[in-house]
Amino acid sequence: NAGVTQTPKFQVLKTGQSMTLQCAQDMNHEYMSWYRQDPGMGLRLIHYSVGAGITDQGEVPNGYNVSRSTTEDFPLRLLSAAPSQTSVYFCASSWSGTGGYEQYFGPGTRLTVT
Amino acid sequence: AQSVAQPEDQVNVAEGNPLTVKCTYSVSGNPYLFWYVQYPNRGLQFLLKYITGDNLVKGSYGFEAEFNKSQTSFHLKKPSALVSDSALYFCAVRVNAGNNRKLIWGLGTSLAVNP
């Protein structure tokens, strides 16, 4: 199993540009989520999904869109990049959002918005 | 409000000495508690969890954690630290989020093990 994969590893955007961060998992996990990690802020949940076709907002959803058309994929879209979105983004998956299941994390995407 | 606190930004310990990384929580109901580790430029890795049962939980890489309900704590411990244990450690607790659940994360504790 590849686990959770994320592409790209690094990205530089100009303010106002859009892009999609890709996330895929091959463990047949129901639950997938996107976090951003900023110094001194810990991990903050952006969006999550409890299954194909079902998504919901986390604590910092503004400026980001998600969709979940398949169990495997959970892309994160930045509609109009802003310098405040400079961060490291992690995708994670687990068996379920309701049980005490551990999350599996991807390697992260380091995004810089200039 | 439901929350997780890691009171120490950084912990320094000499190799071979025992280490403790502290975590306290405030949630309603019975907590599901987790510890994760993040090595430099890597994603987080699961270490261990407490759901129910024995208050002492054993996990990966020789780590263990003790659940203390009266003190609402879930401290991470290891009897003998290794230089390779140097990393960022996160405590998390599962909370209700409408019909689903989500994790609330502590801000992390940077562990430095000195040779």
Side-chain angles (χ1 to χ4, degrees), chain A residues 25-70:
Chain A
Q25 53 91 8
D26 61 0
M27 297 172 282
N28 203 30
H29 285 170
E30 292 180 352
Y31 184 89
M32 297 185 74
S33 54
W34 277 102
Y35 294 93
R36 57 178 291 173
Q37 184 179 27
D38 302 288
M41 304 289 286
L43 285 168
R44 292 184 291 171
L45 183 65
I46 305 172
H47 286 284
Y48 66 97
S49 168
V50 299
I54 307 170
T55 64
D56 205 348
Q57 296 181 350
E59 55 186 305
V60 289
N62 291 342
Y64 308 95
N65 274 359
V66 292
S67 61
R68 183 104 178 263
S69 56
T70 67

Side-chain angles (χ1 to χ4, degrees), chain A residues 31 35 37 40-43 45 48 50 56 59 90 97-107 110, chain B residues 32 34 36 38 41-46 49 51 88 90 94 97 99-103 105-108:
Chain A
Y31 184 89
Y35 294 93
Q37 184 179 27
M41 304 289 286
L43 285 168
L45 183 65
Y48 66 97
V50 299
D56 205 348
E59 55 186 305
F90 290 101
T98 56
Y101 299 104
E102 59 266 31
Q103 294 197 20
Y104 293 76
F105 283 79
R110 187 174 295 273
Chain B
Y32 286 15
F34 302 81
Y36 287 78
Q38 185 180 30
N41 300 313
R42 302 284 296 275
L44 281 72
Q45 296 177 34
F46 169 76
K49 65 182 177 183
I51 305 298
L88 191 56
F90 289 95
R94 193 197 75 169
N99 293 325
N100 296 301
R101 310 289 189 270
K102 65 178 182 180
L103 290 179
W105 296 83
L107 296 183

Side-chain angles (χ1 to χ4, degrees), chain B residues 2-15:
Chain B
Q2 302 185 100
S3 63
V4 173
Q6 293 181 240
E8 300 156 318
D9 291 337
Q10 180 149 348
V11 170
N12 294 293
V13 64
E15 188 174 29

Side-chain angles (χ1 to χ4, degrees), chain A residues 11-19 21 78 81 111-114:
Chain A
Q11 183 70 49
V12 178
L13 290 178
K14 294 187 188 303
T15 296
Q17 287 184 319
S18 63
M19 79 160 294
L21 279 62
L78 280 71
L111 175 68
T112 302
V113 183
T114 62

Side-chain angles (χ1 to χ4, degrees), chain B residues 65-105:
Chain B
E66 186 168 13
F67 171 65
N68 187 317
K69 188 172 183 177
S70 62
Q71 297 187 1
T72 62
S73 67
F74 189 55
H75 300 332
L76 182 70
K77 300 180 180 185
K78 187 173 184 182
S80 178
L82 299 172
V83 172
S84 57
D85 293 329
S86 298
L88 191 56
Y89 290 81
F90 289 95
C91 180
V93 63
R94 193 197 75 169
V95 299
N96 294 333
N99 293 325
N100 296 301
R101 310 289 189 270
K102 65 178 182 180
L103 290 179
I104 290 182
W105 296 83

